[in-house]
Amino acid sequence: MELNSKKDGKYNYIEVGEGTPIVILHGLMGGLSNFEGVAHYFSSKGHKIVIPELPLYTQNILKTNVKAFAKYVKDFITYKGFDRVILLGNSLGGHIALYHTKMYPEKVAGLVLTGSSGLYESAMGDSYPKRGDYEYIKKKAEAVFYDPKIATKEIVDEVFAVVNDRMRVLKTLTIAKSAIRHNMAKDLPKMHVKTCLIWGKNDQVTPPDVAEEFHKLMPNSSLYWIDKCGHAAMMEHPDEFNRLLDEWLQKAEL
């Protein structure tokens, strides 16, 4: 099954399957295709999978922040006519999902976070990429995964294109500052939404102790680990990711 994105009004998104909507939010350098395994699996299990393209690089710089992206997601959910959704976010997408849940709790039936930012912000990179240095970018991209081979030439090329585009670099840095500003530590204990945390044991971007902190702070959370796995579990171990998420959805009755 080919995943084709469609344009509808101002929104670009992938939609597949029927049933309870799972809205998936990608990360800073992540494309919609990162979630192919999740989309195929859960669309055949009674879920509608919807993956909107977030306007990380297309909105006005004043709207290039976590809060504005959370509002964008809420507008998209309203536009689609969904009542309540399960939100699944990786990296920055997880942070946006958290902020959306803080602002619009009535819209969220469940929350799934994997390698999420929101507590620990070296997620954005401590030494921001050197423009023009392909080997450096390649190493940075490989460090996201436990198995560096997952960072295909296509993935490295995409990141390289971003860091060599002046406006995109400016917006990436703006998002990074916004992520630090919108730290969620004080909000999490008040968020009682059913939450599934799926984390790579070898995540170097948001290390395992970040997952432990999320689990400690969120009153209604379950934490699952994937071994030999980095920052993007749904790409590196799609079958195990889907199995754990399926198990949690049944347990949470979602």
Side-chain angles (χ1 to χ4, degrees), residues 129-151:
K130 302 164 184 169
R131 293 170 70 186
D133 185 344
Y134 190 84
E135 273 311 302
Y136 177 83
I137 302 301
K138 184 166 179 278
K139 281 199 176 61
K140 276 289 201 189
E142 287 175 349
V144 169
F145 305 100
Y146 176 78
D147 176 2
K149 289 198 288 293
I150 305 275

PDB file of all heavy atoms in Angstrom, residues 129-151:
ATOM      1  N   PRO A 129      24.686  22.202  13.114  1.00  0.00           N
ATOM      2  CA  PRO A 129      25.427  21.743  11.940  1.00  0.00           C
ATOM      3  C   PRO A 129      26.237  22.787  11.196  1.00  0.00           C
ATOM      4  O   PRO A 129      25.780  23.896  10.986  1.00  0.00           O
ATOM      5  CB  PRO A 129      24.314  21.219  11.040  1.00  0.00           C
ATOM      6  CG  PRO A 129      23.267  20.756  11.979  1.00  0.00           C
ATOM      7  CD  PRO A 129      23.358  21.628  13.185  1.00  0.00           C
ATOM      8  N   LYS A 130      27.431  22.367  10.828  1.00  0.00           N
ATOM      9  CA  LYS A 130      28.299  23.220  10.017  1.00  0.00           C
ATOM     10  C   LYS A 130      27.796  23.151   8.585  1.00  0.00           C
ATOM     11  O   LYS A 130      27.700  22.061   8.020  1.00  0.00           O
ATOM     12  CB  LYS A 130      29.736  22.694  10.087  1.00  0.00           C
ATOM     13  CG  LYS A 130      30.286  22.634  11.503  1.00  0.00           C
ATOM     14  CD  LYS A 130      31.530  21.768  11.560  1.00  0.00           C
ATOM     15  CE  LYS A 130      31.991  21.637  13.005  1.00  0.00           C
ATOM     16  NZ  LYS A 130      33.016  20.633  13.178  1.00  0.00           N
ATOM     17  N   ARG A 131      27.497  24.275   8.041  1.00  0.00           N
ATOM     18  CA  ARG A 131      26.981  24.283   6.662  1.00  0.00           C
ATOM     19  C   ARG A 131      28.057  23.795   5.705  1.00  0.00           C
ATOM     20  O   ARG A 131      29.232  24.097   5.850  1.00  0.00           O
ATOM     21  CB  ARG A 131      26.541  25.694   6.279  1.00  0.00           C
ATOM     22  CG  ARG A 131      25.329  26.139   7.076  1.00  0.00           C
ATOM     23  CD  ARG A 131      25.030  27.592   6.878  1.00  0.00           C
ATOM     24  NE  ARG A 131      24.533  27.825   5.526  1.00  0.00           N
ATOM     25  CZ  ARG A 131      24.294  29.025   5.030  1.00  0.00           C
ATOM     26  NH1 ARG A 131      24.525  30.092   5.763  1.00  0.00           N
ATOM     27  NH2 ARG A 131      23.841  29.182   3.817  1.00  0.00           N
ATOM     28  N   GLY A 132      27.613  23.020   4.754  1.00  0.00           N
ATOM     29  CA  GLY A 132      28.524  22.608   3.699  1.00  0.00           C
ATOM     30  C   GLY A 132      29.388  21.408   4.030  1.00  0.00           C
ATOM     31  O   GLY A 132      30.048  20.869   3.163  1.00  0.00           O
ATOM     32  N   ASP A 133      29.384  20.955   5.301  1.00  0.00           N
ATOM     33  CA  ASP A 133      30.234  19.833   5.681  1.00  0.00           C
ATOM     34  C   ASP A 133      29.399  18.545   5.666  1.00  0.00           C
ATOM     35  O   ASP A 133      28.792  18.164   6.662  1.00  0.00           O
ATOM     36  CB  ASP A 133      30.820  20.094   7.075  1.00  0.00           C
ATOM     37  CG  ASP A 133      31.824  19.021   7.492  1.00  0.00           C
ATOM     38  OD1 ASP A 133      31.839  17.947   6.868  1.00  0.00           O
ATOM     39  OD2 ASP A 133      32.590  19.271   8.440  1.00  0.00           O
ATOM     40  N   TYR A 134      29.402  17.857   4.530  1.00  0.00           N
ATOM     41  CA  TYR A 134      28.521  16.699   4.338  1.00  0.00           C
ATOM     42  C   TYR A 134      28.861  15.570   5.313  1.00  0.00           C
ATOM     43  O   TYR A 134      27.960  14.935   5.871  1.00  0.00           O
ATOM     44  CB  TYR A 134      28.615  16.202   2.889  1.00  0.00           C
ATOM     45  CG  TYR A 134      27.564  15.169   2.542  1.00  0.00           C
ATOM     46  CD1 TYR A 134      26.278  15.562   2.149  1.00  0.00           C
ATOM     47  CD2 TYR A 134      27.834  13.803   2.633  1.00  0.00           C
ATOM     48  CE1 TYR A 134      25.307  14.616   1.840  1.00  0.00           C
ATOM     49  CE2 TYR A 134      26.871  12.855   2.329  1.00  0.00           C
ATOM     50  CZ  TYR A 134      25.602  13.266   1.934  1.00  0.00           C
ATOM     51  OH  TYR A 134      24.631  12.328   1.641  1.00  0.00           O
ATOM     52  N   GLU A 135      30.155  15.319   5.530  1.00  0.00           N
ATOM     53  CA  GLU A 135      30.566  14.218   6.413  1.00  0.00           C
ATOM     54  C   GLU A 135      30.102  14.451   7.851  1.00  0.00           C
ATOM     55  O   GLU A 135      29.678  13.525   8.547  1.00  0.00           O
ATOM     56  CB  GLU A 135      32.094  14.041   6.381  1.00  0.00           C
ATOM     57  CG  GLU A 135      32.585  13.127   5.277  1.00  0.00           C
ATOM     58  CD  GLU A 135      31.830  11.791   5.197  1.00  0.00           C
ATOM     59  OE1 GLU A 135      31.811  11.050   6.203  1.00  0.00           O
ATOM     60  OE2 GLU A 135      31.233  11.490   4.144  1.00  0.00           O
ATOM     61  N   TYR A 136      30.171  15.716   8.282  1.00  0.00           N
ATOM     62  CA  TYR A 136      29.719  16.073   9.633  1.00  0.00           C
ATOM     63  C   TYR A 136      28.215  15.813   9.761  1.00  0.00           C
ATOM     64  O   TYR A 136      27.750  15.224  10.748  1.00  0.00           O
ATOM     65  CB  TYR A 136      30.038  17.551   9.893  1.00  0.00           C
ATOM     66  CG  TYR A 136      29.550  18.061  11.230  1.00  0.00           C
ATOM     67  CD1 TYR A 136      30.290  17.871  12.394  1.00  0.00           C
ATOM     68  CD2 TYR A 136      28.329  18.727  11.324  1.00  0.00           C
ATOM     69  CE1 TYR A 136      29.833  18.337  13.621  1.00  0.00           C
ATOM     70  CE2 TYR A 136      27.865  19.200  12.545  1.00  0.00           C
ATOM     71  CZ  TYR A 136      28.622  19.000  13.695  1.00  0.00           C
ATOM     72  OH  TYR A 136      28.163  19.452  14.897  1.00  0.00           O
ATOM     73  N   ILE A 137      27.466  16.238   8.743  1.00  0.00           N
ATOM     74  CA  ILE A 137      26.004  16.042   8.752  1.00  0.00           C
ATOM     75  C   ILE A 137      25.688  14.546   8.752  1.00  0.00           C
ATOM     76  O   ILE A 137      24.776  14.091   9.447  1.00  0.00           O
ATOM     77  CB  ILE A 137      25.357  16.715   7.511  1.00  0.00           C
ATOM     78  CG1 ILE A 137      25.663  18.213   7.462  1.00  0.00           C
ATOM     79  CG2 ILE A 137      23.838  16.484   7.477  1.00  0.00           C
ATOM     80  CD1 ILE A 137      25.212  19.005   8.637  1.00  0.00           C
ATOM     81  N   LYS A 138      26.450  13.792   7.980  1.00  0.00           N
ATOM     82  CA  LYS A 138      26.239  12.336   7.899  1.00  0.00           C
ATOM     83  C   LYS A 138      26.428  11.707   9.286  1.00  0.00           C
ATOM     84  O   LYS A 138      25.611  10.898   9.730  1.00  0.00           O
ATOM     85  CB  LYS A 138      27.233  11.745   6.889  1.00  0.00           C
ATOM     86  CG  LYS A 138      27.068  10.256   6.618  1.00  0.00           C
ATOM     87  CD  LYS A 138      27.862   9.871   5.359  1.00  0.00           C
ATOM     88  CE  LYS A 138      27.748   8.395   5.059  1.00  0.00           C
ATOM     89  NZ  LYS A 138      28.664   7.565   5.838  1.00  0.00           N
ATOM     90  N   LYS A 139      27.487  12.113   9.983  1.00  0.00           N
ATOM     91  CA  LYS A 139      27.746  11.565  11.330  1.00  0.00           C
ATOM     92  C   LYS A 139      26.631  11.935  12.305  1.00  0.00           C
ATOM     93  O   LYS A 139      26.214  11.134  13.132  1.00  0.00           O
ATOM     94  CB  LYS A 139      29.080  12.098  11.854  1.00  0.00           C
ATOM     95  CG  LYS A 139      30.282  11.369  11.273  1.00  0.00           C
ATOM     96  CD  LYS A 139      31.534  11.586  12.129  1.00  0.00           C
ATOM     97  CE  LYS A 139      32.715  10.776  11.613  1.00  0.00           C
ATOM     98  NZ  LYS A 139      33.094  11.141  10.233  1.00  0.00           N
ATOM     99  N   LYS A 140      26.158  13.187  12.203  1.00  0.00           N
ATOM    100  CA  LYS A 140      25.060  13.647  13.065  1.00  0.00           C
ATOM    101  C   LYS A 140      23.797  12.831  12.804  1.00  0.00           C
ATOM    102  O   LYS A 140      23.086  12.441  13.739  1.00  0.00           O
ATOM    103  CB  LYS A 140      24.755  15.133  12.795  1.00  0.00           C
ATOM    104  CG  LYS A 140      25.657  16.092  13.551  1.00  0.00           C
ATOM    105  CD  LYS A 140      25.323  16.065  15.022  1.00  0.00           C
ATOM    106  CE  LYS A 140      25.789  17.304  15.748  1.00  0.00           C
ATOM    107  NZ  LYS A 140      25.642  17.174  17.192  1.00  0.00           N
ATOM    108  N   ALA A 141      23.512  12.603  11.519  1.00  0.00           N
ATOM    109  CA  ALA A 141      22.308  11.836  11.148  1.00  0.00           C
ATOM    110  C   ALA A 141      22.437  10.389  11.631  1.00  0.00           C
ATOM    111  O   ALA A 141      21.476   9.812  12.153  1.00  0.00           O
ATOM    112  CB  ALA A 141      22.099  11.884   9.635  1.00  0.00           C
ATOM    113  N   GLU A 142      23.634   9.822  11.501  1.00  0.00           N
ATOM    114  CA  GLU A 142      23.845   8.430  11.929  1.00  0.00           C
ATOM    115  C   GLU A 142      23.703   8.282  13.439  1.00  0.00           C
ATOM    116  O   GLU A 142      23.229   7.254  13.935  1.00  0.00           O
ATOM    117  CB  GLU A 142      25.231   7.951  11.477  1.00  0.00           C
ATOM    118  CG  GLU A 142      25.307   7.697   9.982  1.00  0.00           C
ATOM    119  CD  GLU A 142      26.709   7.346   9.488  1.00  0.00           C
ATOM    120  OE1 GLU A 142      27.684   7.503  10.254  1.00  0.00           O
ATOM    121  OE2 GLU A 142      26.814   6.930   8.324  1.00  0.00           O
ATOM    122  N   ALA A 143      24.087   9.312  14.184  1.00  0.00           N
ATOM    123  CA  ALA A 143      24.033   9.253  15.647  1.00  0.00           C
ATOM    124  C   ALA A 143      22.597   9.179  16.182  1.00  0.00           C
ATOM    125  O   ALA A 143      22.369   8.828  17.344  1.00  0.00           O
ATOM    126  CB  ALA A 143      24.738  10.469  16.247  1.00  0.00           C
ATOM    127  N   VAL A 144      21.631   9.510  15.330  1.00  0.00           N
ATOM    128  CA  VAL A 144      20.219   9.440  15.724  1.00  0.00           C
ATOM    129  C   VAL A 144      19.796   7.977  15.923  1.00  0.00           C
ATOM    130  O   VAL A 144      18.898   7.678  16.699  1.00  0.00           O
ATOM    131  CB  VAL A 144      19.333  10.125  14.642  1.00  0.00           C
ATOM    132  CG1 VAL A 144      17.854   9.849  14.854  1.00  0.00           C
ATOM    133  CG2 VAL A 144      19.600  11.632  14.653  1.00  0.00           C
ATOM    134  N   PHE A 145      20.477   7.068  15.219  1.00  0.00           N
ATOM    135  CA  PHE A 145      20.091   5.657  15.233  1.00  0.00           C
ATOM    136  C   PHE A 145      21.132   4.792  15.950  1.00  0.00           C
ATOM    137  O   PHE A 145      22.312   5.140  15.989  1.00  0.00           O
ATOM    138  CB  PHE A 145      19.928   5.142  13.792  1.00  0.00           C
ATOM    139  CG  PHE A 145      18.962   5.960  12.977  1.00  0.00           C
ATOM    140  CD1 PHE A 145      19.423   6.918  12.077  1.00  0.00           C
ATOM    141  CD2 PHE A 145      17.592   5.790  13.118  1.00  0.00           C
ATOM    142  CE1 PHE A 145      18.541   7.684  11.334  1.00  0.00           C
ATOM    143  CE2 PHE A 145      16.700   6.548  12.370  1.00  0.00           C
ATOM    144  CZ  PHE A 145      17.176   7.504  11.487  1.00  0.00           C
ATOM    145  N   TYR A 146      20.692   3.667  16.474  1.00  0.00           N
ATOM    146  CA  TYR A 146      21.630   2.688  17.031  1.00  0.00           C
ATOM    147  C   TYR A 146      22.439   2.071  15.880  1.00  0.00           C
ATOM    148  O   TYR A 146      23.643   1.897  15.977  1.00  0.00           O
ATOM    149  CB  TYR A 146      20.852   1.603  17.789  1.00  0.00           C
ATOM    150  CG  TYR A 146      21.732   0.495  18.311  1.00  0.00           C
ATOM    151  CD1 TYR A 146      22.500   0.672  19.465  1.00  0.00           C
ATOM    152  CD2 TYR A 146      21.798  -0.736  17.646  1.00  0.00           C
ATOM    153  CE1 TYR A 146      23.318  -0.346  19.941  1.00  0.00           C
ATOM    154  CE2 TYR A 146      22.614  -1.753  18.114  1.00  0.00           C
ATOM    155  CZ  TYR A 146      23.371  -1.548  19.258  1.00  0.00           C
ATOM    156  OH  TYR A 146      24.184  -2.558  19.731  1.00  0.00           O
ATOM    157  N   ASP A 147      21.732   1.742  14.799  1.00  0.00           N
ATOM    158  CA  ASP A 147      22.380   1.186  13.605  1.00  0.00           C
ATOM    159  C   ASP A 147      22.556   2.315  12.591  1.00  0.00           C
ATOM    160  O   ASP A 147      21.578   2.768  11.991  1.00  0.00           O
ATOM    161  CB  ASP A 147      21.503   0.076  13.011  1.00  0.00           C
ATOM    162  CG  ASP A 147      22.074  -0.486  11.712  1.00  0.00           C
ATOM    163  OD1 ASP A 147      23.171  -0.036  11.292  1.00  0.00           O
ATOM    164  OD2 ASP A 147      21.426  -1.360  11.105  1.00  0.00           O
ATOM    165  N   PRO A 148      23.790   2.795  12.384  1.00  0.00           N
ATOM    166  CA  PRO A 148      24.000   3.959  11.511  1.00  0.00           C
ATOM    167  C   PRO A 148      23.524   3.743  10.070  1.00  0.00           C
ATOM    168  O   PRO A 148      23.259   4.701   9.354  1.00  0.00           O
ATOM    169  CB  PRO A 148      25.521   4.191  11.558  1.00  0.00           C
ATOM    170  CG  PRO A 148      26.106   2.952  12.134  1.00  0.00           C
ATOM    171  CD  PRO A 148      25.048   2.301  12.970  1.00  0.00           C
ATOM    172  N   LYS A 149      23.365   2.467   9.681  1.00  0.00           N
ATOM    173  CA  LYS A 149      22.940   2.192   8.291  1.00  0.00           C
ATOM    174  C   LYS A 149      21.510   2.676   8.015  1.00  0.00           C
ATOM    175  O   LYS A 149      21.111   2.841   6.870  1.00  0.00           O
ATOM    176  CB  LYS A 149      23.055   0.696   7.971  1.00  0.00           C
ATOM    177  CG  LYS A 149      24.508   0.212   7.857  1.00  0.00           C
ATOM    178  CD  LYS A 149      24.609  -1.116   7.124  1.00  0.00           C
ATOM    179  CE  LYS A 149      24.084  -2.289   7.937  1.00  0.00           C
ATOM    180  NZ  LYS A 149      24.910  -2.594   9.135  1.00  0.00           N
ATOM    181  N   ILE A 150      20.747   2.898   9.097  1.00  0.00           N
ATOM    182  CA  ILE A 150      19.366   3.402   8.915  1.00  0.00           C
ATOM    183  C   ILE A 150      19.405   4.806   8.310  1.00  0.00           C
ATOM    184  O   ILE A 150      18.485   5.234   7.628  1.00  0.00           O
ATOM    185  CB  ILE A 150      18.601   3.437  10.273  1.00  0.00           C
ATOM    186  CG1 ILE A 150      18.636   2.076  10.941  1.00  0.00           C
ATOM    187  CG2 ILE A 150      17.168   3.924  10.091  1.00  0.00           C
ATOM    188  CD1 ILE A 150      17.607   1.066  10.552  1.00  0.00           C
ATOM    189  N   ALA A 151      20.488   5.543   8.580  1.00  0.00           N
ATOM    190  CA  ALA A 151      20.638   6.906   8.015  1.00  0.00           C
ATOM    191  C   ALA A 151      21.069   6.776   6.550  1.00  0.00           C
ATOM    192  O   ALA A 151      22.237   6.892   6.205  1.00  0.00           O
ATOM    193  CB  ALA A 151      21.653   7.702   8.815  1.00  0.00           C
TER     194      ALA A 151
END
